[in-house]
Amino acid sequence: MIATSLRHDGRVALVTGASSGIGRALAHAFAAAGASVVLAARRADVLASVADAIRATGGAAVAVAADLGSRDGAERLADAAAQPFGAPSILVNAAGINIRKPILELTAGDIDSTLAINLVAPLVLAQRLAPAMLAAGFGRILNITSQQQSRAFNHSGIYGASKGGLAALTRSMAEAWSAAGVTTNAIAPGLVATPMTAAVLADPARAKALAARTMVGRNGVPDDLTGAALFLASEAAAYITGQTLFVDGGFSVT
């Protein structure tokens, strides 16, 4: 039982933000664990290369280009995600943007796009995909949040607000659907080396200082999140819901 608890054979997983960073790592992980994976992101060419890489290792993957910056885009993705392999029973909301500006310099477009991608799209996707999960009696929704859901970081005000909202949404969806077998949890990464954090890590002194604030003595990499995601999406985690798991090397408790 322990050896197979992280397997996802026969499951269909939709992973947003799958063209790079954490989303790409999670897409590879779910495919390696036996799931058929629908990859979603805006950059069709890059996304196709990720799908090719997964298939080259024997996994099942289909790329679906999607713009989650609008409600219509999220709804179209939800409809398209059910076509290649059937209705997804696992939804991983890993797509996100972080526009790093002082709060007084944020434009209406900055605010709208951040909230649309980081908060509204996960809600719309869950609304569209949860009914099939509820009918099947099994579903797993995983939201990738952030340290900034609970602490402030410089020039990330609207990003932090969107991730705080996503953590609250996680609890609300868990309350609504867990009794029917559809659980919802969040993973809050520490500082992980991705294109989104490249500007931060480009400063060696800052990168070193942030690593020193962890208990393990280093900043994260995308693969650090895969074990937690595979577990929370598994049947072994059926009694875990509404939680945010901080995968951050101890950063959040120092």
Side-chain angles (χ1 to χ4, degrees):
M1 176 64 179
I2 296 299
T4 61
S5 63
L6 299 186
R7 296 292 304 175
H8 294 279
D9 302 286
R11 304 290 185 196
V12 178
L14 169 59
V15 182
T16 70
S19 61
S20 66
I22 291 171
R24 180 172 62 186
L26 296 181
H28 275 278
F30 276 102
S36 298
V37 183
V38 179
L39 316 174
R42 286 179 294 179
R43 297 177 296 169
D45 55 340
V46 179
L47 196 64
S49 70
V50 178
D52 288 342
I54 290 174
R55 289 193 292 265
T57 60
V62 170
V64 177
D67 184 356
L68 297 179
S70 71
R71 186 182 302 273
D72 287 345
E75 290 176 349
R76 286 194 295 270
L77 172 59
D79 294 340
Q83 301 307 311
F85 307 113
S89 57
I90 300 168
L91 168 61
V92 182
N93 289 305
I97 61 170
N98 186 358
I99 298 172
R100 300 176 186 277
K101 293 181 180 179
I103 289 176
L104 292 178
E105 295 179 12
L106 289 169
T107 67
D110 295 335
I111 295 167
D112 291 348
S113 59
T114 300
L115 293 176
I117 294 170
N118 294 3
L119 181 58
V120 176
L123 172 58
V124 172
L125 289 172
Q127 285 180 314
R128 295 294 281 255
L129 298 178
M133 297 180 188
L134 293 166
F138 177 90
R140 298 287 184 265
I141 300 172
L142 298 180
N143 296 320
I144 305 303
T145 58
S146 169
Q147 298 286 324
Q148 295 175 62
Q149 72 179 56
S150 54
R151 64 168 71 192
F153 278 72
N154 193 31
H155 297 341
S156 290
I158 191 61
Y159 177 79
S162 70
K163 292 299 186 176
L166 187 57
L169 181 62
T170 297
R171 295 188 291 271
S172 294
M173 292 193 296
E175 187 276 331
W177 302 325
S178 295
V182 179
T183 64
T184 305
N185 290 287
I187 296 175
L191 180 64
V192 175
T194 69
M196 185 183 291
T197 60
V200 175
L201 293 174
D203 180 346
R206 189 176 183 191
K208 183 177 180 181
L210 288 166
R213 287 183 59 181
T214 71
M215 292 180 176
V216 300
R218 66 171 177 85
N219 294 312
V221 296
D223 282 342
D224 287 327
L225 278 72
T226 58
L230 292 176
F231 169 65
L232 289 174
S234 73
E235 300 210 24
Y239 203 59
I240 302 173
T241 193
Q243 304 301 310
T244 295
L245 176 59
F246 285 77
V247 181
D248 61 2
F251 185 97
S252 57
V253 293
T254 59

